[in-house]
Structure formats: C-alpha cells, structure tokens
Amino acid sequence: MTDSDFLATTRTFYDAIAEDYAVLFQDELANRPLERAILTLFAELVDGDGPVADLGCGPGRTTARLAALGLPVFGVDLSESMLAIARRENPELRFEQGSMLELDLPDGTLAGALSFYSSIHTPVERLPALFAEFHRVLAPGAPLLVAFQAGDEHRHHDRPFGHPVALTFQRRRPEHIAELLTAAGFALVSRTVREPDPALDETSQQAFLIARKPG
C-alpha cells in the first residue's frame, strides 16, 4: 500500500465517522486517570518557547487538555471533518489539516509533540519515516509522547456507526516502538503500559512512550 492509499483510506474513514466519534468519546479522558497523568508529565517535560504539536489530534480533546495545562499547543489531522469539530469546540486554538509524514513545519521548531493513538494506522514499514519526521521538526531536548494499543493482533472496524467505511487499528509491541524511536535518534525517557480496563471496553494493554530528541 502506498502512502497515498493508506492516507486516503484513513481520511475517508474519519471524515465519515467524525460526528459519531465525537459524541461517543465526548469525555474520553474523564475515566482515564493514567492518561491524564501522562499528559501532565509530558507538559512538565516541555521546556522551551516553541509551539507544541498534537499530531493526529482528531476532535481536539487532547489538544484542549494540553492547552489547559498551559502549553502553546496546536493540532494537526488528516480529517477535515474531525478538524471542524475541533475548531467548533475550541475556537481559541489552532488546528491545521496535514499528514504526519510530511509536516509543513521548519526543522527544529517544536518544543514538544505527541502522537496520541494516531500512529496506529501507519503501516509498520512507514514507522521509521514517521518517527524521522517527528525528529526533524522537534527542537533539541524536546519531548515526544507516543500512545498506542499494545499487542500483536490488529482490530478491524467495518461499517462503524453504520457508515460504509472500514479501517484496521494496528497494535504494536512497546519494545518494537522503543527500538524504532531509538533508531530515529530519540533517547527514551519512560515506558508505561497499563492493563485493559473492561469498563472502557478495552481488550488490549495501552502503551505510552516518552522520548526526547537529544540536546
């Protein structure tokens, strides 16, 4: 599959389900104290005057959380329908359409970046290029947070909410992602894995890796 193929599939999927997704996950961080703690830790690790990018921001809930923590954050996403929701709910914040693989940002300009469950549709063979792009846009010393479902078995969603679209949600092994981040030039800061919460309809562990671009 080419970059244009999987990007188009991902964009079409989220354009179709955006409003339903936003309603279903209206308070997605309310029952996730560990996620809130990880985001707070990430915010405290940001040390610089540059902007922070929420890459693959979706409807902007994580972006808004980071803004509330005092970060000068903006969001980037493929889906214009998701961005419309993010702008509607957070008119004071900036949201841009774009691909994480080709960010419209100069080298070394970000004080921090996160990919919060947004790398899960990138084919595994494209992850080195993705992490290299993250490394390119981050300033020396800046942190990166990558969150994803852990495991080996992917989960395919077909006709979600009755829409005629389908997409595979890829699970990754934390040690593999750590190796790829190191290969891209990052220094690993922390690795957190929590067990699935049945109350949240989770079937896999959730992984959170924080790395830094060396100063």
Side-chain angles (χ1 to χ4, degrees):
M1 180 181 291
T2 67
D3 285 356
S4 59
D5 288 338
F6 90 80
L7 292 174
T9 299
T10 303
R11 182 186 300 112
T12 299
F13 181 88
Y14 282 105
D15 278 345
I17 71 165
E19 293 292 343
D20 297 291
Y21 179 100
V23 171
L24 181 63
F25 296 105
Q26 181 66 46
D27 300 311
E28 59 184 332
L29 291 172
N31 297 316
R32 292 175 166 82
L34 183 63
E35 280 83 338
R36 296 198 304 273
I38 292 289
L39 291 171
T40 300
L41 170 61
F42 169 78
E44 292 186 2
L45 290 173
V46 173
D47 183 18
D49 297 328
V52 174
D54 183 4
L55 303 173
C57 64
R61 287 8 179 329
T62 304
T63 324
R65 180 75 182 183
L66 292 175
L69 292 170
L71 293 183
V73 62
F74 68 99
V76 178
D77 202 88
L78 274 175
S79 168
E80 282 289 0
S81 295
M82 284 289 193
L83 291 170
I85 296 167
R87 293 172 181 136
R88 183 176 72 215
E89 295 186 355
N90 306 280
E92 74 285 2
L93 299 180
R94 177 164 60 98
F95 295 96
E96 300 176 354
Q97 197 277 335
S99 165
M100 297 189 298
L101 282 161
E102 295 181 358
L103 294 166
D104 187 19
L105 294 168
D107 295 356
T109 55
L110 294 181
L114 72 158
S115 171
F116 213 66
Y117 295 95
S118 58
S119 67
I120 60 175
H121 308 304
T122 301
V124 65
E125 66 271 14
R126 299 298 292 140
L127 289 178
L130 180 69
F131 295 152
E133 181 69 347
F134 292 171
H135 189 275
R136 180 187 70 80
V137 297
L138 283 166
L144 169 71
L145 168 59
V146 180
F148 53 95
Q149 293 95 354
D152 295 310
E153 295 183 5
H154 302 331
R155 188 171 184 178
H156 188 71
H157 290 263
D158 191 17
R159 299 189 63 85
F161 309 105
H163 297 288
V165 291
L167 192 64
T168 298
F169 289 59
Q170 301 184 38
R171 294 170 179 170
R172 323 281 195 187
R173 285 188 173 271
E175 57 269 26
H176 183 216
I177 298 302
E179 290 172 0
L180 292 176
L181 289 171
T182 300
F186 288 98
L188 196 65
V189 174
S190 69
R191 185 185 320 189
T192 303
V193 178
R194 73 162 174 81
E195 295 303 307
D197 186 344
L200 299 174
D201 194 30
E202 293 175 343
T203 59
S204 64
Q205 293 177 322
Q206 310 295 305
F208 310 89
L209 272 59
I210 297 178
R212 278 192 188 276
K213 180 176 179 177

